[in-house]
Amino acid sequence: MRELAGKTAFVTGGASGIGLALGRAFAEAGMNVMLADIEADALAAGVASLRGFGPDVRGVACDVADAGSVERAAEASYQAFGYVHVVCNNAGVAAAGGIDDISLDNWRWVLDVNLMGVLHGIKTFLPHIRAHGEGGHIVNTASMAGLVSGLGFSPYAASKFAVVNMSEALAVRLAPLGIGVSVLCPGFVRTRISDSGRNRPQRYGPAPVPDPASPGGALAAQIAELIRSGLDPADVAARVLAAIREDELYVFTHPQMRAELEARFAAILAAMDKAAAR
Ligand SMILES: NC(=O)c1ccc[n+]([C@@H]2O[C@H](COP(=O)([O-])OP(=O)(O)OC[C@H]3O[C@@H](n4cnc5c(N)ncnc54)[C@H](O)[C@@H]3O)[C@@H](O)[C@H]2O)c1
């Protein structure tokens, strides 16, 4: 989608980190912006912080794990702006723990937000974008953790692998309709993702505090440090806007992680070579 000015963007997880940076970049590009988030105070502060950057920035309460909540947020967006053109399924959470100590509740929470949340966004907005016919673009936030297995056995990585697959398949399906799809795969970005438990609904039980001495707890502490020194979310948002304009599927922000990708693909191709030789 080359022309963004005058169009409307809907961003989940818009109250913080990458989502808020996307909201600002869209506003600065002349778009109307609807930030959708589960955290009410942060959402109000996020909307206020973007006043004056673009034509109109608003916020709507939304739990992406709940299909009805996403539909209500979409309705509020249509009421406010008419058509929605760019949808960023960006809300995401992470939970610490490995194969020995991560609970089923943690798996459910992370998959409900990171995987079902993306699905709910697609199911809700796609019929609308198709029907208005003004073109559109769907951006799904995955991660480098959706392409390489460095994070180990985790619902976070499993959810992000799923989001990469969903995006690839959607791109093929929507290309003939002139609707673009991007999958955002960043490495470490300076956001509040390590503090995801702040938004954990009670239905998933209490947020477990990982034992720093356990392998899962040690990995969580190491990751939190990498996030603290990670990329500026504004740089990620700038890449996403370029990808929307150029209609690019894969959006990478950490080219230094290329070797990990190559190692995974090399192992897969070596196994294919073995199969061919048998
Ligand atoms: N920070 C990183 O290093 C990194 C790297 C790769 C991918 N990502 C992905 O980027 C996306 C954005 O995360 P971030 O890093 O900006 O973290 P963040 O915690 O700063 O922002 C995430 C936002 O999502 C919201 N949210 C959480 N649960 C929600 C729900 N059920 N419904 C609606 N909103 C909800 C939070 O309130 C928050 O505003 C996530 O999908 C994350 O997995 C982050």
Side-chain angles (χ1 to χ4, degrees):
M1 236 175 75
R2 287 238 144 246
E3 199 45 63
L4 298 182
K7 304 241 168 69
T8 296
F10 176 92
V11 184
T12 68
S16 175
I18 295 171
L20 186 58
L22 284 169
R24 176 170 169 168
F26 289 135
E28 286 177 331
M31 299 184 80
N32 295 314
V33 177
M34 183 65 95
L35 301 177
D37 206 284
I38 199 171
E39 194 177 3
D41 293 351
L43 180 61
V47 171
S49 77
L50 297 191
R51 287 242 158 78
F53 284 109
D56 198 349
V57 179
R58 301 194 198 182
V60 63
C62 176
D63 177 358
V64 297
D66 174 352
S69 177
V70 177
E71 278 161 24
R72 288 189 291 279
E75 276 306 324
S77 309
Y78 309 149
Q79 294 283 331
F81 299 122
Y83 297 150
V84 171
H85 305 84
V86 173
V87 176
C88 296
N89 296 307
N90 167 78
V93 294
I99 190 162
D100 297 320
D101 54 4
I102 193 161
S103 69
L104 284 181
D105 274 345
N106 267 350
W107 271 86
R108 288 196 185 99
W109 174 47
V110 174
L111 293 180
D112 279 354
V113 177
N114 296 10
L115 196 166
M116 296 307 288
V118 171
L119 179 65
H120 294 152
I122 294 166
K123 293 274 283 177
T124 299
F125 283 98
L126 190 52
H128 167 79
I129 294 174
R130 267 181 171 155
H132 70 54
E134 290 190 358
H137 202 100
I138 295 173
V139 180
N140 298 325
T141 301
S143 167
M144 284 305 291
L147 288 162
V148 296
S149 295
L151 284 190
F153 188 90
S154 80
Y156 185 83
S159 70
K160 298 303 186 180
F161 264 73
V163 172
V164 170
N165 164 264
M166 288 156 81
S167 307
E168 289 173 343
L170 196 65
V172 172
R173 184 85 169 73
L174 298 188
L177 305 179
I179 300 170
V181 178
S182 296
V183 58
L184 172 60
C185 299
F188 295 108
V189 184
R190 215 161 51 239
T191 71
R192 295 188 67 200
I193 188 94
S194 300
D195 185 20
S196 292
R198 71 192 188 280
N199 293 311
R200 181 190 173 99
Q202 281 185 348
R203 63 181 181 274
Y204 298 103
V209 180
D211 173 4
S214 73
L219 182 64
Q222 205 185 338
I223 289 170
E225 191 44 50
L226 288 165
I227 286 167
R228 263 193 293 278
S229 57
L231 192 65
D232 185 334
D235 294 338
V236 177
R239 278 290 305 114
V240 170
L241 260 76
I244 294 172
R245 289 194 169 105
E246 300 295 327
D247 195 12
E248 294 166 357
L249 174 58
Y250 301 104
V251 186
F252 293 124
T253 55
H254 290 68
Q256 62 272 38
M257 294 183 76
R258 184 189 177 96
E260 289 171 56
L261 256 191
E262 280 177 344
R264 174 162 181 258
F265 293 147
I268 292 169
L269 290 175
M272 288 298 279
D273 289 343
K274 255 191 181 170
R278 269 184 198 135

